Amino acid sequence: MEAKIVLGVIGADCHSVGNKILDYAFSQEGFKVTNIGVLSSQEEFINAAIETNANMIVVSSLYGHGELDCRGFKEKCIEAGLEDVKLYVGGNLVVGKQEWEPVEQRFKEMGFDRVYPPGTKPEVTIRHIREDLGIEDLGEQYEMRSIS
Amino acid sequence: MEAKIVLGVIGADCHSVGNKILDYAFSQEGFKVTNIGVLSSQEEFINAAIETNANMIVVSSLYGHGELDCRGFKEKCIEAGLEDVKLYVGGNLVVGKQEWEPVEQRFKEMGFDRVYPPGTKPEVTIRHIREDLGIEDLGEQYEMRSIS
Amino acid sequence: MELKNKKWSEERFLEERKKVLGQWKTGEDVNLEDAVEYLKSLPEHKNFAKRLIDAKRNNKTLLQPRAGVALLEEHIELLKYLQDEGGADLLPSTIDSYTRQNRYEEGEKGIEESKKAGRSMLNGFPAVNHGVSGCRQVLESVHIPLQARHGTPDARLLSEIIHASGWTSNEGGGISYNIPYAKSVTLEQTLLDWQYCDRLAGYYQERGIDINREPFGPLTGTLVPPSISNTIAIIEGLLAAEQGVKHITLGYGQCGNLTQDVAAIKALEEQANEYFKEYGYDVELTTVLHQWMGGFPEDESKAFAVISWGAATAALAGATKVIVKTPHEAIGIPTKEANAQGMKATKQMLSLLREQNMENSKGVADEIQLIKKEVKCLIDNVLKVGEGDLAVGTVRAFKNGMLDIPFAPSIHNAGKILPARDVNGAVRYLSYGNLPISDELKEINNKLLDIRAKNENREVSFQMVVDDIFAVSAGKLVGNSN
Amino acid sequence: MELKNKKWSEERFLEERKKVLGQWKTGEDVNLEDAVEYLKSLPEHKNFAKRLIDAKRNNKTLLQPRAGVALLEEHIELLKYLQDEGGADLLPSTIDSYTRQNRYEEGEKGIEESKKAGRSMLNGFPAVNHGVSGCRQVLESVHIPLQARHGTPDARLLSEIIHASGWTSNEGGGISYNIPYAKSVTLEQTLLDWQYCDRLAGYYQERGIDINREPFGPLTGTLVPPSISNTIAIIEGLLAAEQGVKHITLGYGQCGNLTQDVAAIKALEEQANEYFKEYGYDVELTTVLHQWMGGFPEDESKAFAVISWGAATAALAGATKVIVKTPHEAIGIPTKEANAQGMKATKQMLSLLREQNMENSKGVADEIQLIKKEVKCLIDNVLKVGEGDLAVGTVRAFKNGMLDIPFAPSIHNAGKILPARDVNGAVRYLSYGNLPISDELKEINNKLLDIRAKNENREVSFQMVVDDIFAVSAGKLVGNSN
């Protein structure tokens, strides 16, 4: 199976560093990435997923309003016929200091398959993508290459 | 009236910086200072006061055991016939963080005429010495002079 | 309207102004004559520009926090706390995200909801919604100068309202409040809109009122090579000066390597003054260092160390102002107490280091030269592709990646350059994209990264960039395995 | 016994030893053969000397707190917390004041009262009272090396007990644990007593067990000119080496001016190694920087800044170890949580600055030369008045004020020199007393203070000293009116 991922930052959030890093890391890994960038709405994620026949949507949220922005996302996906598309979300998902487990739990109940705290390294997410989509690790072939 | 001061650090305390500063500042001011230094017992203060016919004892304590070390000091002074000798105390008088007013109150009840928190500048104490002993400020004459 | 780096005529400005004031109902309360009178009536100690000049003359670094909440009373209470308890020298009003997107209707809702909830439902102070009367109330409740800090591509109405309210400084610029803050707004548009903001400041300046303008220095705040941020700062400074701005603060976000950070501030000041002189602008230039803009440790003790390092850097660099982080940085919007804590730590460090500098450092001197040479390559080229026009050149240079900001969200940014740290933690170019940096300078950069690669026994690669970005959450500067 | 700087014969040492072990009942449990075996059985990662060498090789700065309480269990709990939660690389046991004065009877009472009170009634760990079995229990409860830190003029029995318990480092020296810590004990006595402690370390060293010795660098901790503290440190290092010590850590207390502090550590390391080489001692030298030893601000945020500045200085100086203060410093003995907070802030700063140094600074290079020249004047003279004997010369030099420590309590210290800060906050000589510093060097010093006087529009005077001492509680380094 091939990973076809829609990647973006949801809501009124313009944090772009992590988005660029994930784009690069996923692409290097051989995944097919459609990056819709920052300031993206739920609809934009869903439209991009339909257009590219994606099997995964990876949502970032860094400005603390992630919970509000992600509400109803799974339901919209189902309505659009994307019930089998895997949903990942990660970043600073809530405002202020909160325990991680309840946050993860809330997002799982909202229909997200994987939920990541801030500072998660790309390799962790990549491993999960392989597991969840049943993609073999081709090892050496896709190691990070020099680009300088 | 002339100020004849016995100066020292009480108890098992070897903090000497403030002691040296007070010695210098008092002497510059024209006060007669007998500095018995660090690690001094109540008895040593009292003996020095008797020997020098002092009218003031200035006690420092920087290591937190001041309360213990100063207990009964006033009584011992009275026994030794020094009931009119003014008693000042200052420094880090107690262990740990405590409100200042109760600390001051406790030391006043122990018979000290003036009680100073850490970081008190010498000029404050000098003003009080003048007030309490009725010594005129000779002004310019006793200003700090260059010693280099 | 055609974009040119040329001072707007007063007619053009006033013509444009009519449309601007119509953007939201509070616009109609802005009256320039009344504003001039109001600004003239204010005491000197509430003037941002004057306070900065005074600090510069006395070789002092001023303290400014970030802060803003939805409701007027709460906002005033917050600012007074930061002034009285935190010891701020200059006050901010951080503007909320709706206002930054000109979505004033939603700002209005945010205010209502905040009243109901009893706490701020907006991440800043919606100055446009509160209008001139509200903003003047803020100013009159404090006794130090006020600045709007935001991230607004089109800040024309906001600027009108804050200046008419006696706020004598405005942060932002056509590049620095677009490329790092917007996705698809064109540079032509934001450069024009910020010419308007600068022209407004110039309008007041012509009437004897000192207004301070501060381009946003740190850009994306992550591994931005100093020559990139200095170039943008100097361009925005020149664009502002052309519109009649006379009080400019240029900024820089701490990268973490002391030598490079001190050099960057020094180079910025020297080189900006050289350009102002070359183009005949009479500008009072001051500088600002932003404490570490990257990821912060969650642990508050560790956060204090990061804050203190930023404070030390500001002091040793001799920055006129430092923007302060808080020990809550990692977890979001800080309490006012945490905000004051960051300020107290910073103030302590500033006073401790008041008498110290890095003037005897050869490393700093060399780095200043390197940064200035790189900046010269970039600005010379902007003028070349702009056929002598700095504004036109800026648009064209971004279009073809000859200006490029790492990790920026805008689709109008090429995003082809990549930064990485060298073996001492200074930020270098790993990939130049289409930047017109000379081969000689590239060689210096490349050598520095080669040393690191050799040290770490690996190739110079994108993995280094990733490692450097993740390094600071692990408490380190360089993403190596030591 | 006559004082000479000459290695004690094993016979003399063992003869003296009998008396030492009789000082308190726990002395009889110290058995050298058993101790050698025990020390040999310990894993390498519990050896203080090995850990320091490893850090030096890897260019790392290690973290060590101060801590000690009366009761065994509580002390172990405290150390484990600092190890696990604070991230200590090396552990201390700070010894209580009674033990420092050899008043073991009162230590015993302190332990009893602490048990009754349920909290420590002593300001440290009474190691002699707890004896070898107790001290071994401490070592066996942690997984990093242990050092005794105290301030004991006669530490012979204490040293016997801690080393036999596997504590592989001992702080102190015949000068540094007398002049700043005692009132009337003679230098002859403490130099002899510390020769004993050094000879004990040498005894173990001869049997292949690395024992680290650390003279107490900061002395009175207040405005000590670096050339004074470096001179004492080097003398104590040489005295220890003569007795067979091979692992020596020389220390310095942060003065606050970065250039001078970095230079002081560098000068100390260079010059000590030069002297060790000159006298043919084969010593593994490491360095330690003590974070700010003067008055601390009461406010914890401000205290964090002071701590962080010490950490930054240690990192930039490349010290092998840093002794950490806590945000409770101003208010007395810290809680274990506050202790860990100071360590976390320090560790964060150390990792951030891991890759940075001040190698390119001309200011540092000049300052190194100045310090080394002053130190050479002082040590050359000690050898001269000692007719070639360093120990004898030390006693004589102190007697006539040719060695002199500012603000020290000992009646055997002349107390004639006065330090003050120059215009950059570096500590200089305001009054030389009888120090045999060359006229050339005096002129450099005088000029630096003259600049300050001119700047502040007043005479160079004692008032400057007073102002400098009070400056830091006001958050400043230099006692000026700016």
Side-chain angles (χ1 to χ4, degrees), chain B residues 32-86:
Chain B
K32 202 165 158 282
V33 179
T34 305
N35 188 355
I36 60 170
V38 304
L39 296 165
S40 297
S41 64
Q42 294 188 0
E43 290 70 22
E44 287 172 291
F45 276 96
I46 289 168
N47 291 340
I50 293 170
E51 273 169 39
T52 61
N53 194 22
N55 49 15
M56 172 163 291
I57 294 175
V58 178
V59 176
S60 303
S61 174
L62 277 297
Y63 74 147
H65 295 173
E67 196 171 347
L68 211 65
D69 293 333
C70 290
R71 239 175 243 161
F73 196 4
K74 181 67 184 179
E75 290 73 15
K76 279 220 186 74
C77 285
I78 295 170
E79 276 170 39
L82 303 176
E83 57 276 353
D84 294 333
V85 170
K86 296 279 173 197

Side-chain angles (χ1 to χ4, degrees), chain D residues 217-228:
Chain D
L219 303 176
T220 48
T222 305
L223 294 176
V224 180
S227 52
I228 293 286

Side-chain angles (χ1 to χ4, degrees), chain C residues 16-275:
Chain C
E16 181 83 1
R17 198 168 172 272
K18 290 177 200 157
K19 281 178 275 172
V20 169
L21 297 187
Q23 285 181 342
W24 184 249
K25 56 191 175 191
T26 51
E28 65 193 28
D29 298 332
V30 188
N31 177 308
L32 276 179
E33 279 156 46
D34 165 69
V36 166
E37 221 166 290
Y38 182 73
L39 278 155
K40 282 192 171 172
S41 76
L42 295 175
E44 285 217 349
H45 65 261
K46 283 197 181 179
N47 185 284
F48 216 94
K50 288 202 166 67
R51 188 77 188 83
L52 283 167
I53 291 171
D54 185 57
K56 189 177 155 195
R57 301 261 183 286
N58 289 294
N59 202 17
K60 225 192 138 185
T61 302
L62 301 179
L63 208 60
Q64 186 178 15
R66 291 188 181 79
V69 290
L71 300 180
L72 197 55
E73 261 179 56
E74 282 73 7
H75 186 64
I76 290 172
E77 191 196 332
L78 173 59
L79 293 190
K80 283 172 80 168
Y81 184 87
L82 297 177
Q83 167 193 274
D84 299 334
E85 182 62 23
D89 297 305
L90 301 164
L91 283 172
S93 289
T94 301
I95 306 299
D96 70 291
S97 289
Y98 290 132
T99 305
R100 297 181 188 196
Q101 303 289 326
N102 311 89
R103 285 147 63 168
Y104 308 118
E105 198 83 59
E106 287 168 80
E108 206 69 15
K109 270 187 223 153
I111 293 175
E112 286 315 312
E113 279 175 36
S114 301
K115 279 180 189 164
K116 275 184 221 149
R119 63 189 172 90
S120 183
M121 301 298 280
L122 296 175
N123 60 1
F125 179 74
V128 170
N129 296 78
H130 288 299
V132 173
S133 67
C135 291
R136 284 189 181 178
Q137 217 174 307
V138 178
L139 184 83
E140 287 161 14
S141 306
V142 298
H143 57 71
I144 49 178
L146 259 173
Q147 177 187 47
R149 304 186 67 86
H150 34 125
T152 312
D154 172 11
R156 292 172 300 165
L157 180 57
L158 174 64
S159 306
E160 286 278 359
I161 285 174
I162 59 148
H163 291 323
S165 306
W167 301 15
T168 40
S169 180
N170 191 16
E171 193 195 44
I175 307 165
S176 63
Y177 268 12
N178 175 345
I179 306 295
Y181 281 105
K183 186 173 178 174
S184 50
V185 186
T186 66
L187 260 176
E188 288 90 336
Q189 193 55 52
T190 49
L191 286 170
L192 279 168
D193 290 346
W194 277 92
Q195 280 186 333
Y196 180 96
C197 299
D198 287 330
R199 187 62 185 83
L200 173 64
Y203 178 93
Y204 285 115
Q205 195 65 55
E206 286 162 1
R207 281 148 190 85
I209 295 153
D210 293 338
I211 299 283
N212 172 262
R213 280 273 299 111
E214 179 186 335
F216 176 63
L219 304 173
T220 47
T222 304
L223 294 177
V224 181
S227 53
I228 293 285
S229 53
N230 280 11
T231 296
I232 305 297
I234 291 171
I235 290 175
E236 291 193 346
L238 288 166
L239 295 174
E242 175 61 28
Q243 299 301 323
V245 176
K246 300 230 170 291
H247 297 275
I248 296 178
T249 305
L250 296 184
Y252 169 76
Q254 180 192 19
C255 283
N257 173 283
L258 181 64
T259 302
Q260 186 177 44
D261 287 338
V262 170
I265 287 277
K266 297 280 177 203
L268 179 58
E269 191 169 11
E270 283 178 27
Q271 203 167 17
N273 271 325
E274 286 160 19
Y275 275 106

